[in-house]
Amino acid sequence: MLTDIEIAQKCKMKPITKIASTLGIDAGELELYGNHKAKLSDSLRYRVRNNKDGKLILVTAINPTPAGEGKTTVTVGLGQALSAMGKKAAICLREPSLGPVMGIKGGAAGGGYAQIVPMEDINLHFTGDIHAVTAANNLLSALIDNHIQQGNELGIDPRQIVWKRAMDMNDRALRNIIVGLGGRTNGTPREDGFVITAASEIMAILCLAEDITDLKKRLGKIIIGYDYSGAPVTASQLRAEGAMALLLKDAIKPNIVQTLENSPALMHGGPFANIAHGCNSISATKLALKLADYVVTEAGFGADLGAEKFFDIKCRYAGLKPDAAILVATVRALRYNGGVPRENLAQENLDALERGFPNLEKHIENLRKFGVPVLVAINQFSSDSQTELEYIRKRCSDMGIPTAFAQVYAKGGEGGIELAEKLLDLLDTVPSQFRFLYDVKAPVKEKIETIAREIYGASGVTYSPSADRMIKKLSEIGMDDLPICVAKTQYSLSDNPRMLGRPENFEINVREIRLSAGAGFIVALTGDIMTMPGLPKQPAAERIDISEGGTIKGLF
């Protein structure tokens, strides 16, 4: 079979003006980036603001494994299938980060015959949104150090600056650095560090802001650190929000592209779900709901991370009420959760599948807690045995959960027809009774412990002394009534990536609490999770090349 990039390069793309017209978008409402990419204008959002909303479908997954589950691929394939069936459908995805593209995970444009194109552009610089976020982030960093250098009128304590610089690359050497060396003219020496752009609070703000006015307001609320008395210092006190918003004036507009089968897709924003809230932008999702009858979106990694944050953070702020959730699982991933090493995952192993099934079972239980109808999508591979597939279907049926097989990687939209049909039936017969997991006004520890017990299955939560101090400070400054964004390994329901399946009798360890006042949530960092990833021993970048004629190789 051809590689993902070879399949994408053979695609006959249509002008983006024609793709947009299938959603009733006029050419004048597009800001073109060549023939196959465009941004959607503010005038479009204003014109369709009173349209009836379509159905919102979340695609999530069990905990990811080295074999890959294909959540984004299923999202794209489902969108293609709905369009092939004559439905007015739109896909809403996040933009890929260069860190995973050059590292180990790869991009985020789907795979096989269920991809978003132009794939190379999307996985590289796209329309520059992520670079704009990086620039806005680092402008604030520069303003902080310049303010201190120019007399420090606000009395910022250099030891209590919490704002980090950012770059869109995996670079572990930049996690902890010293700035301001080289003498008095080069600034005040202090400890600093970098986060990957996807973990920047500005990325979260971009994805949670309703419009440019809301964006500017949220940027101004960013807490960059504390003064010598312990009071918070905000970006607005540095008069930074105007220039930062200016750098983001185009980035805040959603992007429209197309699938391999020329159906529409909105791609906008790119926060990771293991260290941020893991959803595409509110503006893109809400606009898609005004343009399409069915909107298929995804949330990063497993349902314990992306789906929980989609429901409790994104839907809370956007006023969204999802109509259904699709939970992607694979036989290979369940074998892995049952203890099979990666090199043996292509071999039938019903015993391991049975041991790994509780991971899927737990995610089903979790999604039901939010009151949304659930459909399990079994992303099918040639190594799956019929016995194993029927085992999953029967176990799900015993739980009252419908299942559908998806072969979208190999067959595109055609391979997603069964999934689309089962989804439409679910939407017609089972109404959503969506609800949040916790009361946002509850104490910080109660909210964290609710997530840990109800979603992860933990027996309790432990806190480092510094986390305890920050929780107390949140209460003192009146910033404790915000949703919780847990930063946790994606590979396990616990905060230990080696605890597979459905672990029990474990504690979640909160080592640090951070306040993202502009985004509007409290970050709880658990285990060994890092906000600046590192490259693997053999990074993907070593295999990527471009020929003299401009053909890209090795991207996937």
Side-chain angles (χ1 to χ4, degrees):
M1 185 173 175
L2 299 174
T3 65
D4 290 354
I5 193 169
E6 289 170 338
I7 292 170
Q9 288 169 344
K10 290 179 177 294
C11 172
K12 296 188 183 300
M13 290 184 282
K14 292 182 179 180
I16 199 62
T17 49
K18 289 193 175 182
I19 302 299
S21 68
T22 64
L23 294 177
I25 302 170
D26 298 330
E29 295 171 321
L30 300 174
E31 297 175 9
L32 298 176
Y33 283 65
N35 293 325
H36 304 118
K37 301 175 290 184
K39 282 194 168 289
L40 300 171
S41 68
D42 293 335
S43 61
L44 170 64
R45 180 170 56 85
Y46 182 80
R47 178 174 67 82
V48 302
R49 68 192 186 283
N50 294 323
N51 286 7
K52 181 182 176 182
D53 283 346
K55 299 284 188 180
L56 179 59
I57 301 102
L58 173 69
V59 180
T60 183
I62 63 174
N63 290 101
T65 71
E69 285 58 63
K71 171 171 53 64
T72 304
T73 301
V74 170
T75 302
V76 177
L78 174 59
Q80 290 180 153
L82 288 168
S83 294
M85 293 168 65
K87 305 298 181 182
K88 192 175 183 182
I91 300 163
C92 278
L93 295 175
R94 293 169 296 159
E95 303 175 45
S97 161
L98 283 174
V101 169
M102 298 296 171
I104 190 170
K105 180 180 176 292
Y113 289 91
Q115 293 187 62
I116 308 293
V117 286
M119 180 264 243
E120 301 100 319
D121 291 359
I122 290 167
N123 283 307
L124 295 174
H125 304 292
F126 200 21
T127 57
D129 293 348
I130 293 182
H131 298 317
V133 170
T134 304
N137 185 105
N138 294 337
L139 169 61
L140 182 54
S141 290
L143 289 171
I144 293 167
D145 285 306
N146 184 64
H147 183 87
I148 295 172
Q149 175 74 6
Q150 302 297 343
N152 199 5
E153 180 184 346
L154 295 172
I156 299 169
D157 185 349
R159 299 164 301 178
Q160 296 191 74
I161 295 172
V162 296
W163 188 255
K164 303 287 188 182
R165 287 168 160 82
M167 68 179 298
D168 187 32
M169 193 56 62
N170 294 1
D171 193 344
R172 61 171 56 84
L174 294 177
R175 287 171 184 162
N176 299 285
I177 64 171
I178 302 292
V179 298
L181 298 179
R184 291 181 60 185
T185 59
N186 293 322
T188 301
R190 66 177 182 87
E191 292 186 51
D192 199 356
F194 277 76
V195 299
I196 192 166
T197 301
S200 168
E201 184 178 352
I202 294 179
M203 177 63 82
I205 288 172
L206 181 78
C207 290
L208 292 171
E210 294 275 358
D211 51 34
I212 194 73
T213 301
D214 187 31
L215 175 73
K216 192 184 301 185
K217 182 179 178 182
R218 288 174 176 271
L219 291 171
K221 288 182 178 180
I222 292 172
I223 292 176
I224 62 94
Y226 300 86
D227 65 19
Y228 285 108
S229 71
V233 180
T234 65
S236 65
Q237 289 176 269
L238 292 166
R239 298 186 292 278
E241 69 269 34
M244 292 164 69
L246 176 62
L247 290 174
L248 298 167
K249 70 177 181 65
D250 295 318
I252 195 173
K253 299 172 184 175
N255 308 293
I256 184 168
V257 280
Q258 62 190 289
T259 70
L260 291 176
E261 298 178 8
N262 310 120
S263 52
L266 276 63
M267 296 192 80
H268 195 220
F272 292 160
N274 57 345
I275 52 181
H277 75 284
C279 307
N280 75 304
S281 73
I282 284 176
S283 57
T285 302
K286 294 183 80 168
L287 181 56
L289 287 168
K290 297 296 183 184
L291 295 168
D293 296 327
Y294 301 93
V295 175
V296 184
T297 190
E298 56 91 42
F301 295 122
D304 55 320
L305 289 170
E308 187 273 317
K309 295 170 184 178
F310 175 84
F311 294 137
D312 280 323
I313 298 176
K314 179 175 177 176
C315 291
R316 194 186 300 266
Y317 278 122
L320 298 172
K321 295 182 178 179
D323 295 282
I326 293 175
L327 182 60
V328 178
T330 66
V331 169
R332 297 188 305 179
L334 293 177
R335 288 175 188 153
Y336 185 83
N337 272 282
V340 176
R342 182 176 184 177
E343 58 271 20
N344 296 330
L345 288 179
Q347 301 171 15
E348 179 180 350
N349 193 325
L350 186 59
D351 289 340
L353 183 76
E354 292 178 7
R355 292 194 301 270
F357 186 85
N359 184 268
L360 173 59
E361 183 178 50
K362 175 60 174 164
H363 286 294
I364 291 172
E365 292 173 8
N366 287 348
L367 290 174
R368 281 176 154 174
K369 291 175 182 178
F370 293 95
V372 293
V374 180
L375 169 62
V376 169
I378 304 170
N379 191 17
Q380 202 169 344
F381 291 82
S382 58
S383 61
D384 301 346
S385 74
Q386 198 61 36
T387 303
E388 291 170 308
L389 292 171
E390 286 306 317
Y391 176 84
I392 298 173
R393 187 191 284 277
K394 183 177 188 309
R395 286 289 301 270
C396 290
S397 177
D398 291 344
M399 296 179 69
I401 297 295
T403 55
F405 295 116
Q407 296 178 307
V408 296
Y409 183 89
K411 299 181 180 180
E414 179 188 347
I417 295 296
E418 179 189 348
L419 177 60
E421 291 175 341
K422 292 283 184 71
L423 170 65
L424 294 174
D425 181 64
L426 187 69
L427 292 171
D428 287 341
T429 57
V430 184
S432 175
Q433 297 177 324
F434 175 67
R435 55 186 174 269
F436 301 123
L437 183 70
Y438 55 81
D439 180 356
V440 76
K441 299 292 185 182
V444 172
K445 285 191 174 182
E446 181 180 321
K447 289 181 284 194
I448 293 173
E449 287 161 19
T450 297
I451 296 170
R453 293 178 189 276
E454 295 293 325
I455 302 300
Y456 310 151
S459 58
V461 180
T462 62
Y463 301 86
S464 71
S466 64
D468 269 327
R469 288 193 297 271
M470 188 60 186
I471 290 171
K472 182 180 178 182
K473 191 175 189 72
L474 291 175
S475 179
E476 290 171 351
I477 64 176
M479 298 295 293
D480 54 349
D481 60 346
L482 298 173
I484 302 297
C485 181
V486 178
K488 179 184 77 69
T489 179
Q490 64 269 33
Y491 297 114
S492 171
L493 285 160
S494 75
D495 57 4
N496 180 347
R498 293 178 292 278
M499 294 179 69
L500 303 178
R502 183 176 184 166
E504 296 177 335
N505 300 316
F506 66 92
E507 292 183 325
I508 293 290
N509 304 290
V510 176
R511 74 170 199 271
E512 185 179 351
I513 295 288
R514 296 179 184 174
L515 174 59
S516 294
F521 53 68
I522 297 162
V523 181
L525 285 93
T526 69
D528 297 325
I529 194 72
M530 295 287 185
T531 53
M532 169 55 83
L535 291 171
K537 187 173 183 178
Q538 293 182 311
E542 294 179 358
R543 303 184 294 276
I544 295 173
D545 198 2
I546 183 168
S547 70
E548 185 176 347
T551 301
I552 296 172
K553 299 179 180 179
L555 195 57
F556 288 94

